[in-house]
Amino acid sequence: MRIDVVTIFPDYLAPLDLSLIGKARRDGLVDLAVHDLRDVTTDRHRTVDDTPAGGGAGMVMRADVWGEALDPLLAVGGVLAIPAPAGEPLTQATLDSLATGDGPLVVACGRYEGIDARVAEHYRGRDDVRVLEYSLGDYVLNGGEVAALALVEGVVRLLPGVVGNPDSLAEESHAGDGTLEYPVYTRPTEWRGLEIPPVLTSGDHGAAAAWRRERSLERTAARRPDLLDALDAGALTKADRRTLARLGRVVPDGAPSPVPVTVRDAGPDDAEALAALAAATFALACPPGTAEEDIAAFVAEHLTAERMAAHIASPTAILQVAEVGTGRAEDGTGTGAGSVRGAADGATARPELAGYTLTHLPGSADAVPYADDVAAVVIARPAAELSKIYIARAYLGSGLGRLLLDSAVAATATSEVDGEPVRALWLGTNARNRRARKAYERAGFVVVGPRRFRVGDQVHDDVVMVRDLT
Ligand code: JEB
């Protein structure tokens, strides 16, 4: 591959003689030349700049000088890459395309206030030249040389034979699936009191891979949440989805990518939407074979906006909702939850309630759970009841259930009754619903006993599960 760099500071590009790139040049894998822009000038002062048209600070590099320098280098066509603070962000995808393209890569390093805009415009008009105005990031440098070094290094290491082990190319951040790389460690196993995470030295390669994947997703959520928006939902495993839910993202059924979700306490404005959600999802929670009219009657009586409003207003109820589409609080690119309600611009997508939990606190610290069979096995006081966990159909299996469950546990654990911290959270769940039981177990609930009760002529065979909050 042929690469030409044009600059008024050729010495700035000296590092291209070093290390991997220097070796690639000596091995003939890349034919790289650095040119002094001033060599094409003809005046006594070797002038390359002039004052900006229309006024303003600083100087601008002359188009005619750049034309003289670039024409011979692009005589056979190629790519003209121009570093610029206003360029498009340089990505691995761009580097990949440059490394596989043919024709020379010519990098034009500006200084001062940049290069007369007609240079890019002129070469864009040629059908044998691709012009790439790129930026390294949202900060200001003094010229294009550092960006040229970055581009050349990023491209050359992709050329066949330059990087010894091609596996190391595939494993990196930005090369793989769009997540950031996990943290890496090597000996000594203990350094200044810091240990290598034991899972990495355990010899369990499956566990190590799972740990790394979790760290990748965590880092991406913390540092580059924008990358999560572009993740391919189809490539996410169940474990990935669980991790993402903990990080405030869920993948709705059929969605291309994860979407942000926030769990918050319900307010009076949520009553209507909650009743609608409860009605829509109630049937999913019924044992198979439950009669339609029984479901309809239950919905009409219990799952009304009035009932929801009463729960929301009740000091002994904790009603939490999962809201999807409200943007992320942490990265500032979304619409913060606070700005959604009553947003004046009207352009904000309406948030959607994707699920809720309803927890009942006891009326007093020593209150006994209302059912004898529960009271017999739930010993701790005060004990709260996780009464409802509803997930909209599109979010079943999305990881939202765990997020809501953890959130209900956390809210209950920080609640007090008669000045005493709540010590247990209990729930009843169908004994034959193994999936639900497993999900509760993963959230720290343990089965403490059976529970049988009749509703009409239906016998409910439940188990009581408890989450210790102490
Ligand atoms: C690239 C450059 C200058 C306004 C202010 C300063 C040529 N990420 C990046 N930041 N800055 C640059 C860059 C890239 N790529 C960059 C080329 C030039 C800065 N300057 C200085 C120009 N306009 C001149």
Side-chain angles (χ1 to χ4, degrees):
M1 180 179 193
R2 168 79 189 186
I3 301 179
D4 293 287
V5 182
V6 186
T7 170
I8 59 170
F9 296 122
D11 292 347
Y12 218 125
L13 285 300
L16 295 177
D17 290 330
L18 306 175
S19 186
L20 211 75
I21 309 302
K23 170 111 187 341
R25 292 174 80 177
R26 291 191 293 279
D27 290 349
L29 299 171
V30 60
D31 176 15
L32 198 156
V34 179
H35 311 268
D36 187 341
L37 176 68
R38 292 194 200 275
D39 288 351
V40 300
T41 60
T42 49
D43 65 312
R44 225 164 57 79
H45 295 103
R46 312 229 293 166
T47 308
V48 297
D49 61 328
D50 207 335
T51 54
M59 300 292 273
V60 174
M61 297 189 102
R62 292 175 60 108
D64 54 350
V65 175
W66 274 106
E68 291 301 317
L70 296 177
D71 278 345
L73 302 176
L74 290 165
V76 295
V79 176
L80 173 58
I82 308 176
E88 62 181 82
L90 187 62
T91 63
Q92 190 62 40
T94 303
L95 296 181
D96 289 340
S97 79
L98 293 174
T100 52
D102 42 28
L105 169 62
V106 180
V107 191
C109 301
R111 280 271 148 176
Y112 318 117
E113 299 305 305
I115 303 172
D116 186 310
R118 290 171 295 180
V119 173
E121 186 183 346
H122 167 76
Y123 289 100
R124 255 194 199 107
R126 269 178 59 174
D127 59 12
D128 59 344
V129 176
R130 171 180 161 206
V131 177
L132 170 71
E133 287 182 276
Y134 72 96
S135 164
L136 288 190
D138 296 337
Y139 43 84
V140 180
L141 304 171
N142 279 332
E145 285 76 11
V146 166
L149 286 171
L151 182 78
V152 171
E153 180 162 312
V155 168
V156 170
R157 65 190 292 285
L158 296 175
L159 299 176
V162 174
V163 168
N165 178 3
D167 286 351
S168 52
L169 292 181
E171 270 187 24
E172 299 152 348
S173 297
H174 306 298
D177 71 333
T179 58
L180 298 183
E181 200 166 300
Y182 46 80
V184 294
Y185 303 83
T186 188
R187 280 180 289 272
T189 50
E190 196 240 274
W191 177 75
R192 298 190 181 178
L194 301 173
E195 303 276 358
I196 294 176
V199 66
L200 298 180
T201 49
S202 69
D204 183 341
H205 299 294
W211 182 90
R212 286 172 163 166
R213 177 63 174 167
E214 224 176 299
R215 300 288 85 69
S216 278
L217 291 168
E218 260 173 13
R219 273 192 165 178
T220 309
R223 301 176 182 180
R224 293 293 306 280
D226 59 304
L227 296 179
L228 294 181
D229 296 336
L231 280 188
D232 174 14
L236 296 172
T237 64
K238 273 200 84 116
D240 289 343
R241 283 162 200 249
R242 264 203 292 278
T243 303
L244 284 169
R246 179 165 60 74
L247 299 169
R249 306 266 168 162
V250 290
V251 182
D253 207 18
S257 303
V259 295
V261 59
T262 44
V263 176
R264 58 170 176 80
D265 288 330
D269 293 355
D270 295 312
E272 288 285 347
L274 265 169
L277 171 66
T281 55
F282 174 68
L284 303 174
C286 289
T290 310
E292 294 274 354
E293 57 267 35
D294 290 348
I295 294 175
F298 185 92
V299 167
E301 192 185 344
H302 298 286
L303 302 181
T304 61
E306 291 70 35
R307 270 295 180 96
M308 292 298 171
H311 288 312
I312 291 164
S314 167
T316 59
I318 302 171
L319 213 170
Q320 295 194 317
V321 294
E323 196 173 54
V324 173
T326 47
R328 300 163 297 280
E330 73 275 21
D331 69 1
T333 61
T335 55
S339 68
V340 172
R341 216 155 285 285
D345 61 29
T348 309
R350 211 190 126 43
E352 183 195 351
L353 294 190
Y356 79 89
T357 57
L358 174 60
T359 304
H360 292 298
L361 299 174
S364 63
D366 55 3
V368 172
Y370 59 83
D372 289 345
D373 43 6
V374 176
V377 290
V378 178
I379 308 303
R381 303 284 179 271
E385 179 194 7
L386 179 61
S387 164
K388 301 274 190 316
I389 174 162
Y390 278 10
I391 314 292
R393 185 183 282 280
Y395 297 91
L396 289 172
S398 72
L400 182 60
R402 177 63 189 275
L403 182 64
L404 273 166
L405 210 47
D406 287 345
S407 191
V409 167
T412 308
T414 53
S415 295
E416 290 188 345
V417 176
D418 293 342
E420 288 195 48
V422 177
R423 295 200 170 79
L425 180 62
W426 70 270
L427 60 84
T429 187
N430 190 293
R432 281 178 303 279
N433 190 343
R434 293 189 41 127
R435 275 175 53 96
R437 226 161 100 170
K438 272 265 160 344
Y440 293 129
E441 278 166 3
R442 277 196 296 265
F445 286 82
V446 292
V447 174
V448 290
R451 182 177 180 211
R452 301 194 71 185
F453 59 100
R454 288 181 154 284
V455 176
D457 46 25
Q458 277 260 2
V459 178
H460 288 248
D461 213 350
D462 271 17
V463 289
V464 178
M465 301 183 76
V466 180
R467 171 70 151 80
D468 180 17
L469 303 177
T470 59

